[in-house]
Amino acid sequence: MSGEPRSVVEIVESVHAGRRTALDTVRESLEAIRARDGGEDGIHAFLSVDAEGAEEAARAVDDAVASGRRGALAGVPVAVKDNICTLRLPTTCGSKMLEHFQSPYEATAVARLREAGAVVVGKTNLDEFAMGSSTESSAFGPTRNPHDLTRVAGGSSGGSAAAVAAGMVPAALGSETGGSVRQPAAYCGIVGIKPSYGRVSRYGLVAFASSLDQVGTFGRTVADAAALLEVISGPDPRDSTAANVPAPVLLPELENGIEGLVVGVPKEYFPPELDERIARLCRDAIERLREAGAVIRDVSLPHTRYAIPTYYVIAPAEASSNLARFDGVRYGMRAEGVDSTEAVYEATRSLGFGDEVKRRIMLGTYALSAGFHDQYYVRAQRVRALIARDFRRVFDDGVDVIFTPTTPSVAFGLGEKVDDPYQMYLADIFTVTANLAAIPALSLPIGTVDGLPAGGQLLADRWDEATMVRAAAALERALKE
Ligand code: GLN
């Protein structure tokens, strides 16, 4: 591919204007995947690529545009995290359990992308069942960070983030339960959005922790990630948790600037463990926001320090229940050579799941078990309510958006944390709160530390994605100046 990879916004404009075809655009993307993704030194962002299907779909988009149907994402090649169901490629969840699983239906988010003229080129790597922060728990090998192939891309949506960062696709879908879009976006130097809980249908997103899971979007700019979010948002009769609120109008917000908005800066997100160089980049970003006309206010979210323990009770508890369905009977693999039903369950789950998934199932089953349920699960739910109330108070007090670092450090080395789950969980310290509080959050690049990208996070009140992307676009412009 020559020059800078094209943005979603540019592609749509030029396809609408007839200056380029969807087919050429998709071919360019497939070519970039061939050049950078495979082999020993490849990034390994993709688990499967559908060249034939993508070209066919692109031709259909070109025909539609020629006959006057100009979809909001006409001709945009997209990658889809492999825990989101598609009709044409397998949906493996990065697990041996579902290695050959072919979904009989398509996720609502994917269907909406296709209806808008986007073309799915492939499915991306992830931590097994989205459990992880580095994409190293994938049963099919890790994804590498395009900025430094010896480092992780983050996770669990590491494949989608790396594919976008490497210019293989302009945008992608990921999923979030506790930071899995924002954390890899920060590590890979791109924009990632986790919408409000209930903003995007979960139909066809393989369940991890149902009270936290949301589909999110990646792009190299705020506009690109927002363009996808606009299309996939809104109620869905197939998912009762997709709230009955209209899809937000985001793109016109991007030019509105930040003048007069109140930006809260919570002291709990600048702890001593935060890499001093990331702290400095955050202070610079806050200064830029002030220069652009924002009112900066110190705020406090006092229950932040309970977020990791709360999340790591609730998410595994829900996961232990959701993953009970993978037992060799209905979905995916079935262990051979065992005779009783019990033995099929046991052997299939022993062989099919990797260590991290087993760890979560055991933790979650324990937290839900008779005698411990009150001490762990119920108590975690109460603390979750306190964390949500912290945000409620700040927003009720007139704060429009909150600014924090996305992660406490930049991308770590491959293999560095695999044997220390607790250290791995700490990579989520600034991101799990938004999932617990059901509010929208976004990560955008704010600079580099030794050549590795660092992310800044913006959070807004529930359903206020519009103000969040408006502030993010203003910061993105201010950082470019
Ligand atoms: N790293 C977190 C976890 O392992 C987040 C996962 C996610 O958001 N899917 O649970």
Side-chain angles (χ1 to χ4, degrees):
M1 199 189 307
S2 57
E4 276 283 290
R6 267 170 267 271
S7 74
V8 169
V9 175
E10 283 161 5
I11 291 169
V12 173
E13 251 173 41
S14 57
V15 168
H16 282 181
R19 285 197 307 275
R20 52 183 295 117
T21 62
L23 185 59
D24 285 344
T25 313
V26 162
R27 283 185 172 155
E28 244 174 40
S29 164
L30 293 167
E31 194 42 54
I33 296 170
R34 272 181 221 115
R36 296 205 63 187
D37 206 47
E40 281 287 286
D41 296 327
I43 289 169
H44 195 225
F46 284 87
L47 291 179
S48 57
V49 174
D50 181 18
E52 203 181 307
E55 293 194 4
E56 194 181 306
R59 283 195 192 92
V61 171
D62 285 327
D63 290 346
V65 171
S67 64
R69 273 178 293 131
R70 299 198 173 126
L73 296 175
V76 177
V78 292
V80 175
K81 186 178 183 180
D82 212 19
N83 62 347
I84 302 177
C85 292
T86 48
L87 280 169
R88 280 197 56 106
L89 291 169
T91 298
T92 67
C93 291
S95 180
K96 277 204 218 111
M97 187 66 95
L98 292 178
E99 187 166 3
H100 305 292
F101 175 68
Q102 188 67 53
S103 172
Y105 61 87
E106 183 173 60
T108 298
V110 174
R112 288 185 181 166
L113 288 182
R114 284 199 310 99
E115 280 155 24
V119 175
V120 176
V121 295
K123 303 290 291 289
T124 55
N125 201 8
L126 68 158
D127 282 296
E128 186 176 6
F129 284 100
M131 296 174 189
S133 310
S134 66
T135 314
E136 292 167 288
S137 79
S138 167
F140 310 114
T143 296
R144 298 155 185 262
N145 191 311
H147 296 270
D148 176 348
L149 297 177
T150 69
R151 292 179 187 257
V152 302
S156 63
S157 316
S160 285
V164 172
M168 296 191 253
V169 281
L173 292 185
S175 74
E176 274 241 7
T177 304
S180 277
V181 166
R182 288 163 287 152
Q183 187 256 27
Y187 284 2
C188 290
I190 60 169
V191 175
I193 306 182
K194 180 207 87 83
S196 305
Y197 184 80
R199 184 56 102 183
V200 179
S201 171
R202 295 188 295 116
Y203 181 76
L205 167 64
V206 177
F208 165 3
S210 307
S211 76
L212 299 160
D213 297 343
Q214 271 293 288
V215 174
T217 63
F218 291 101
R220 284 186 294 268
T221 62
V222 174
D224 285 4
L228 260 68
L229 180 59
E230 237 179 32
V231 165
I232 64 173
S233 293
D236 179 10
R238 290 177 162 141
D239 172 14
S240 62
T241 67
N244 209 0
V245 287
V249 181
L250 299 176
L251 296 182
E253 291 289 337
L254 302 178
E255 301 305 319
N256 285 346
I258 199 161
E259 188 108 34
L261 290 188
V262 179
V263 178
V265 180
K267 58 171 186 281
E268 292 81 2
Y269 283 69
F270 293 84
E273 310 84 86
L274 173 62
D275 184 321
E276 176 47 35
R277 295 161 304 175
I278 294 185
R280 197 172 326 127
L281 290 171
C282 286
R283 286 196 294 272
D284 288 349
I286 293 165
E287 207 34 54
R288 297 297 177 95
L289 289 168
R290 193 196 310 273
E291 287 160 14
V295 178
I296 309 297
R297 194 191 286 174
D298 289 333
V299 299
S300 174
L301 298 162
H303 294 91
T304 302
R305 64 195 175 101
Y306 303 113
I308 290 282
T310 304
Y311 172 83
Y312 278 99
V313 171
I314 294 175
E318 294 185 19
S320 70
S321 160
N322 275 325
L323 270 61
R325 75 192 68 176
F326 302 108
D327 57 8
V329 176
R330 186 150 174 207
Y331 304 95
M333 74 170 263
R334 175 177 304 167
E336 307 279 333
V338 280
D339 40 24
S340 73
T341 312
E342 282 287 314
V344 168
Y345 294 162
E346 197 180 310
T348 302
R349 288 167 71 80
S350 301
L351 288 170
F353 289 139
D355 288 349
E356 185 59 28
V357 173
K358 286 178 185 159
R359 183 179 297 125
R360 304 279 178 118
I361 291 173
M362 285 189 275
L363 279 173
T365 306
Y366 181 78
L368 290 175
S369 58
F372 295 109
H373 178 266
D374 280 358
Q375 259 178 62
Y376 291 101
Y377 189 68
V378 172
R379 181 176 291 192
Q381 290 293 13
R382 292 206 181 104
V383 181
R384 179 180 186 172
L386 294 175
I387 290 168
R389 200 175 65 188
D390 282 354
F391 284 106
R392 178 78 273 125
R393 287 198 172 132
V394 168
F395 292 125
D396 282 350
D397 214 25
V399 167
D400 295 295
V401 290
I402 292 171
F403 180 84
T404 78
T406 309
T407 56
S409 69
V410 292
F412 46 90
L414 284 158
E416 203 178 293
K417 298 192 185 190
V418 269
D419 297 325
D420 190 347
Y422 186 64
Q423 282 307 315
M424 188 74 89
Y425 298 169
L426 286 178
D428 304 331
I429 192 158
F430 303 141
T431 39
V432 295
T433 46
N435 305 75
L436 291 167
I439 60 175
L442 171 156
S443 179
L444 81 167
I446 55 166
T448 56
V449 170
D450 293 339
L452 294 168
Q457 177 173 235
L458 284 161
L459 305 107
D461 202 355
R462 194 163 184 198
W463 312 124
D464 201 7
E465 281 83 355
T467 306
M468 181 179 81
V469 298
R470 173 181 159 193
L475 178 56
E476 186 179 52
R477 277 194 298 272
L479 289 169
K480 261 198 221 123
E481 278 163 13

PDB file of all heavy atoms in Angstrom, residues 134-161:
ATOM      1  N   SER A 134      -3.870  -9.251  26.958  1.00  0.00           N
ATOM      2  CA  SER A 134      -2.674  -9.265  26.118  1.00  0.00           C
ATOM      3  C   SER A 134      -2.827 -10.087  24.829  1.00  0.00           C
ATOM      4  O   SER A 134      -1.892 -10.156  24.036  1.00  0.00           O
ATOM      5  CB  SER A 134      -1.497  -9.830  26.911  1.00  0.00           C
ATOM      6  OG  SER A 134      -1.741 -11.200  27.199  1.00  0.00           O
ATOM      7  N   THR A 135      -3.976 -10.738  24.640  1.00  0.00           N
ATOM      8  CA  THR A 135      -4.204 -11.644  23.505  1.00  0.00           C
ATOM      9  C   THR A 135      -3.266 -12.855  23.544  1.00  0.00           C
ATOM     10  O   THR A 135      -3.172 -13.611  22.585  1.00  0.00           O
ATOM     11  CB  THR A 135      -4.145 -10.890  22.148  1.00  0.00           C
ATOM     12  OG1 THR A 135      -4.933  -9.690  22.284  1.00  0.00           O
ATOM     13  CG2 THR A 135      -4.765 -11.649  20.997  1.00  0.00           C
ATOM     14  N   GLU A 136      -2.589 -13.060  24.672  1.00  0.00           N
ATOM     15  CA  GLU A 136      -1.719 -14.234  24.776  1.00  0.00           C
ATOM     16  C   GLU A 136      -2.481 -15.490  25.215  1.00  0.00           C
ATOM     17  O   GLU A 136      -1.956 -16.588  25.097  1.00  0.00           O
ATOM     18  CB  GLU A 136      -0.589 -13.967  25.776  1.00  0.00           C
ATOM     19  CG  GLU A 136       0.411 -12.932  25.299  1.00  0.00           C
ATOM     20  CD  GLU A 136       1.325 -12.481  26.432  1.00  0.00           C
ATOM     21  OE1 GLU A 136       0.852 -11.755  27.330  1.00  0.00           O
ATOM     22  OE2 GLU A 136       2.503 -12.871  26.419  1.00  0.00           O
ATOM     23  N   SER A 137      -3.704 -15.330  25.733  1.00  0.00           N
ATOM     24  CA  SER A 137      -4.434 -16.541  26.120  1.00  0.00           C
ATOM     25  C   SER A 137      -5.214 -17.128  24.946  1.00  0.00           C
ATOM     26  O   SER A 137      -5.915 -18.122  25.101  1.00  0.00           O
ATOM     27  CB  SER A 137      -5.340 -16.284  27.340  1.00  0.00           C
ATOM     28  OG  SER A 137      -6.531 -15.634  26.968  1.00  0.00           O
ATOM     29  N   SER A 138      -5.073 -16.543  23.763  1.00  0.00           N
ATOM     30  CA  SER A 138      -5.667 -17.153  22.566  1.00  0.00           C
ATOM     31  C   SER A 138      -5.076 -18.549  22.369  1.00  0.00           C
ATOM     32  O   SER A 138      -3.869 -18.741  22.509  1.00  0.00           O
ATOM     33  CB  SER A 138      -5.338 -16.302  21.333  1.00  0.00           C
ATOM     34  OG  SER A 138      -5.644 -17.007  20.150  1.00  0.00           O
ATOM     35  N   ALA A 139      -5.933 -19.513  22.014  1.00  0.00           N
ATOM     36  CA  ALA A 139      -5.436 -20.871  21.744  1.00  0.00           C
ATOM     37  C   ALA A 139      -4.645 -20.908  20.439  1.00  0.00           C
ATOM     38  O   ALA A 139      -4.016 -21.918  20.123  1.00  0.00           O
ATOM     39  CB  ALA A 139      -6.604 -21.850  21.678  1.00  0.00           C
ATOM     40  N   PHE A 140      -4.691 -19.811  19.679  1.00  0.00           N
ATOM     41  CA  PHE A 140      -4.046 -19.816  18.361  1.00  0.00           C
ATOM     42  C   PHE A 140      -2.820 -18.908  18.292  1.00  0.00           C
ATOM     43  O   PHE A 140      -2.439 -18.436  17.225  1.00  0.00           O
ATOM     44  CB  PHE A 140      -5.093 -19.452  17.293  1.00  0.00           C
ATOM     45  CG  PHE A 140      -6.342 -20.285  17.425  1.00  0.00           C
ATOM     46  CD1 PHE A 140      -7.546 -19.720  17.786  1.00  0.00           C
ATOM     47  CD2 PHE A 140      -6.275 -21.669  17.252  1.00  0.00           C
ATOM     48  CE1 PHE A 140      -8.693 -20.507  17.945  1.00  0.00           C
ATOM     49  CE2 PHE A 140      -7.408 -22.464  17.417  1.00  0.00           C
ATOM     50  CZ  PHE A 140      -8.618 -21.880  17.768  1.00  0.00           C
ATOM     51  N   GLY A 141      -2.234 -18.632  19.442  1.00  0.00           N
ATOM     52  CA  GLY A 141      -1.003 -17.834  19.486  1.00  0.00           C
ATOM     53  C   GLY A 141      -1.295 -16.360  19.611  1.00  0.00           C
ATOM     54  O   GLY A 141      -2.373 -15.898  19.228  1.00  0.00           O
ATOM     55  N   PRO A 142      -0.335 -15.605  20.165  1.00  0.00           N
ATOM     56  CA  PRO A 142      -0.566 -14.187  20.448  1.00  0.00           C
ATOM     57  C   PRO A 142      -0.513 -13.298  19.203  1.00  0.00           C
ATOM     58  O   PRO A 142       0.001 -13.697  18.170  1.00  0.00           O
ATOM     59  CB  PRO A 142       0.592 -13.829  21.375  1.00  0.00           C
ATOM     60  CG  PRO A 142       1.672 -14.784  21.017  1.00  0.00           C
ATOM     61  CD  PRO A 142       0.992 -16.064  20.599  1.00  0.00           C
ATOM     62  N   THR A 143      -1.049 -12.104  19.368  1.00  0.00           N
ATOM     63  CA  THR A 143      -0.909 -11.042  18.362  1.00  0.00           C
ATOM     64  C   THR A 143       0.251 -10.164  18.806  1.00  0.00           C
ATOM     65  O   THR A 143       0.452  -9.962  20.003  1.00  0.00           O
ATOM     66  CB  THR A 143      -2.211 -10.211  18.308  1.00  0.00           C
ATOM     67  OG1 THR A 143      -3.268 -11.062  17.862  1.00  0.00           O
ATOM     68  CG2 THR A 143      -2.086  -9.013  17.383  1.00  0.00           C
ATOM     69  N   ARG A 144       1.015  -9.650  17.840  1.00  0.00           N
ATOM     70  CA  ARG A 144       2.134  -8.778  18.197  1.00  0.00           C
ATOM     71  C   ARG A 144       1.753  -7.322  18.016  1.00  0.00           C
ATOM     72  O   ARG A 144       0.943  -6.990  17.155  1.00  0.00           O
ATOM     73  CB  ARG A 144       3.338  -9.055  17.301  1.00  0.00           C
ATOM     74  CG  ARG A 144       3.888 -10.445  17.403  1.00  0.00           C
ATOM     75  CD  ARG A 144       4.591 -10.727  16.077  1.00  0.00           C
ATOM     76  NE  ARG A 144       5.069 -12.100  16.013  1.00  0.00           N
ATOM     77  CZ  ARG A 144       6.320 -12.440  16.277  1.00  0.00           C
ATOM     78  NH1 ARG A 144       7.206 -11.542  16.642  1.00  0.00           N
ATOM     79  NH2 ARG A 144       6.687 -13.693  16.171  1.00  0.00           N
ATOM     80  N   ASN A 145       2.409  -6.481  18.781  1.00  0.00           N
ATOM     81  CA  ASN A 145       2.149  -5.048  18.674  1.00  0.00           C
ATOM     82  C   ASN A 145       2.860  -4.494  17.432  1.00  0.00           C
ATOM     83  O   ASN A 145       4.074  -4.653  17.294  1.00  0.00           O
ATOM     84  CB  ASN A 145       2.666  -4.345  19.935  1.00  0.00           C
ATOM     85  CG  ASN A 145       2.192  -2.910  20.011  1.00  0.00           C
ATOM     86  OD1 ASN A 145       2.303  -2.149  19.050  1.00  0.00           O
ATOM     87  ND2 ASN A 145       1.656  -2.529  21.159  1.00  0.00           N
ATOM     88  N   PRO A 146       2.117  -3.860  16.517  1.00  0.00           N
ATOM     89  CA  PRO A 146       2.736  -3.347  15.290  1.00  0.00           C
ATOM     90  C   PRO A 146       3.853  -2.325  15.548  1.00  0.00           C
ATOM     91  O   PRO A 146       4.732  -2.162  14.709  1.00  0.00           O
ATOM     92  CB  PRO A 146       1.591  -2.661  14.545  1.00  0.00           C
ATOM     93  CG  PRO A 146       0.338  -3.144  15.164  1.00  0.00           C
ATOM     94  CD  PRO A 146       0.664  -3.626  16.544  1.00  0.00           C
ATOM     95  N   HIS A 147       3.847  -1.674  16.713  1.00  0.00           N
ATOM     96  CA  HIS A 147       4.895  -0.691  17.013  1.00  0.00           C
ATOM     97  C   HIS A 147       6.180  -1.346  17.504  1.00  0.00           C
ATOM     98  O   HIS A 147       7.236  -0.722  17.515  1.00  0.00           O
ATOM     99  CB  HIS A 147       4.409   0.314  18.070  1.00  0.00           C
ATOM    100  CG  HIS A 147       3.267   1.128  17.591  1.00  0.00           C
ATOM    101  ND1 HIS A 147       3.433   2.324  16.943  1.00  0.00           N
ATOM    102  CD2 HIS A 147       1.930   0.904  17.629  1.00  0.00           C
ATOM    103  CE1 HIS A 147       2.241   2.810  16.617  1.00  0.00           C
ATOM    104  NE2 HIS A 147       1.323   1.966  17.025  1.00  0.00           N
ATOM    105  N   ASP A 148       6.083  -2.583  17.984  1.00  0.00           N
ATOM    106  CA  ASP A 148       7.244  -3.318  18.486  1.00  0.00           C
ATOM    107  C   ASP A 148       6.818  -4.776  18.577  1.00  0.00           C
ATOM    108  O   ASP A 148       6.051  -5.166  19.466  1.00  0.00           O
ATOM    109  CB  ASP A 148       7.644  -2.777  19.868  1.00  0.00           C
ATOM    110  CG  ASP A 148       8.785  -3.583  20.490  1.00  0.00           C
ATOM    111  OD1 ASP A 148       9.116  -4.679  19.967  1.00  0.00           O
ATOM    112  OD2 ASP A 148       9.336  -3.123  21.506  1.00  0.00           O
ATOM    113  N   LEU A 149       7.337  -5.582  17.638  1.00  0.00           N
ATOM    114  CA  LEU A 149       6.845  -6.952  17.499  1.00  0.00           C
ATOM    115  C   LEU A 149       7.187  -7.839  18.702  1.00  0.00           C
ATOM    116  O   LEU A 149       6.691  -8.949  18.815  1.00  0.00           O
ATOM    117  CB  LEU A 149       7.373  -7.582  16.210  1.00  0.00           C
ATOM    118  CG  LEU A 149       6.899  -6.893  14.913  1.00  0.00           C
ATOM    119  CD1 LEU A 149       7.542  -7.545  13.689  1.00  0.00           C
ATOM    120  CD2 LEU A 149       5.375  -6.917  14.779  1.00  0.00           C
ATOM    121  N   THR A 150       8.021  -7.352  19.613  1.00  0.00           N
ATOM    122  CA  THR A 150       8.332  -8.158  20.800  1.00  0.00           C
ATOM    123  C   THR A 150       7.342  -7.878  21.929  1.00  0.00           C
ATOM    124  O   THR A 150       7.440  -8.457  23.001  1.00  0.00           O
ATOM    125  CB  THR A 150       9.754  -7.877  21.322  1.00  0.00           C
ATOM    126  OG1 THR A 150       9.795  -6.538  21.869  1.00  0.00           O
ATOM    127  CG2 THR A 150      10.790  -8.005  20.224  1.00  0.00           C
ATOM    128  N   ARG A 151       6.417  -6.971  21.683  1.00  0.00           N
ATOM    129  CA  ARG A 151       5.461  -6.600  22.747  1.00  0.00           C
ATOM    130  C   ARG A 151       4.037  -7.027  22.406  1.00  0.00           C
ATOM    131  O   ARG A 151       3.714  -7.271  21.246  1.00  0.00           O
ATOM    132  CB  ARG A 151       5.497  -5.084  22.974  1.00  0.00           C
ATOM    133  CG  ARG A 151       6.799  -4.665  23.568  1.00  0.00           C
ATOM    134  CD  ARG A 151       6.868  -3.185  23.780  1.00  0.00           C
ATOM    135  NE  ARG A 151       8.206  -2.836  24.191  1.00  0.00           N
ATOM    136  CZ  ARG A 151       8.559  -2.544  25.451  1.00  0.00           C
ATOM    137  NH1 ARG A 151       7.658  -2.518  26.400  1.00  0.00           N
ATOM    138  NH2 ARG A 151       9.813  -2.274  25.730  1.00  0.00           N
ATOM    139  N   VAL A 152       3.195  -7.036  23.447  1.00  0.00           N
ATOM    140  CA  VAL A 152       1.799  -7.420  23.254  1.00  0.00           C
ATOM    141  C   VAL A 152       1.031  -6.266  22.611  1.00  0.00           C
ATOM    142  O   VAL A 152       1.415  -5.100  22.722  1.00  0.00           O
ATOM    143  CB  VAL A 152       1.106  -7.809  24.583  1.00  0.00           C
ATOM    144  CG1 VAL A 152       1.841  -8.964  25.250  1.00  0.00           C
ATOM    145  CG2 VAL A 152       0.985  -6.614  25.534  1.00  0.00           C
ATOM    146  N   ALA A 153      -0.071  -6.638  21.963  1.00  0.00           N
ATOM    147  CA  ALA A 153      -0.966  -5.634  21.381  1.00  0.00           C
ATOM    148  C   ALA A 153      -2.020  -5.210  22.392  1.00  0.00           C
ATOM    149  O   ALA A 153      -2.856  -4.356  22.098  1.00  0.00           O
ATOM    150  CB  ALA A 153      -1.637  -6.210  20.136  1.00  0.00           C
ATOM    151  N   GLY A 154      -1.990  -5.813  23.570  1.00  0.00           N
ATOM    152  CA  GLY A 154      -3.072  -5.586  24.536  1.00  0.00           C
ATOM    153  C   GLY A 154      -4.186  -6.581  24.300  1.00  0.00           C
ATOM    154  O   GLY A 154      -4.111  -7.427  23.400  1.00  0.00           O
ATOM    155  N   GLY A 155      -5.225  -6.484  25.117  1.00  0.00           N
ATOM    156  CA  GLY A 155      -6.303  -7.441  24.937  1.00  0.00           C
ATOM    157  C   GLY A 155      -7.513  -7.066  25.760  1.00  0.00           C
ATOM    158  O   GLY A 155      -7.490  -6.093  26.488  1.00  0.00           O
ATOM    159  N   SER A 156      -8.582  -7.741  25.559  1.00  0.00           N
ATOM    160  CA  SER A 156      -8.622  -8.961  24.771  1.00  0.00           C
ATOM    161  C   SER A 156      -8.797  -8.740  23.269  1.00  0.00           C
ATOM    162  O   SER A 156      -8.545  -9.644  22.485  1.00  0.00           O
ATOM    163  CB  SER A 156      -9.751  -9.865  25.263  1.00  0.00           C
ATOM    164  OG  SER A 156     -11.001  -9.223  25.067  1.00  0.00           O
ATOM    165  N   SER A 157      -9.162  -7.528  22.837  1.00  0.00           N
ATOM    166  CA  SER A 157      -9.375  -7.314  21.394  1.00  0.00           C
ATOM    167  C   SER A 157      -8.067  -6.946  20.691  1.00  0.00           C
ATOM    168  O   SER A 157      -8.061  -6.063  19.819  1.00  0.00           O
ATOM    169  CB  SER A 157     -10.406  -6.196  21.164  1.00  0.00           C
ATOM    170  OG  SER A 157     -11.522  -6.308  22.006  1.00  0.00           O
ATOM    171  N   GLY A 158      -6.970  -7.615  21.031  1.00  0.00           N
ATOM    172  CA  GLY A 158      -5.663  -7.250  20.490  1.00  0.00           C
ATOM    173  C   GLY A 158      -5.577  -7.381  18.980  1.00  0.00           C
ATOM    174  O   GLY A 158      -4.916  -6.574  18.315  1.00  0.00           O
ATOM    175  N   GLY A 159      -6.238  -8.378  18.411  1.00  0.00           N
ATOM    176  CA  GLY A 159      -6.175  -8.568  16.961  1.00  0.00           C
ATOM    177  C   GLY A 159      -6.810  -7.388  16.217  1.00  0.00           C
ATOM    178  O   GLY A 159      -6.231  -6.861  15.265  1.00  0.00           O
ATOM    179  N   SER A 160      -7.977  -6.969  16.669  1.00  0.00           N
ATOM    180  CA  SER A 160      -8.659  -5.844  16.008  1.00  0.00           C
ATOM    181  C   SER A 160      -7.823  -4.570  16.122  1.00  0.00           C
ATOM    182  O   SER A 160      -7.675  -3.820  15.152  1.00  0.00           O
ATOM    183  CB  SER A 160     -10.039  -5.600  16.637  1.00  0.00           C
ATOM    184  OG  SER A 160     -10.962  -6.583  16.218  1.00  0.00           O
ATOM    185  N   ALA A 161      -7.273  -4.327  17.324  1.00  0.00           N
ATOM    186  CA  ALA A 161      -6.478  -3.105  17.528  1.00  0.00           C
ATOM    187  C   ALA A 161      -5.239  -3.116  16.646  1.00  0.00           C
ATOM    188  O   ALA A 161      -4.908  -2.115  16.002  1.00  0.00           O
ATOM    189  CB  ALA A 161      -6.094  -2.968  19.000  1.00  0.00           C
TER     190      ALA A 161
END
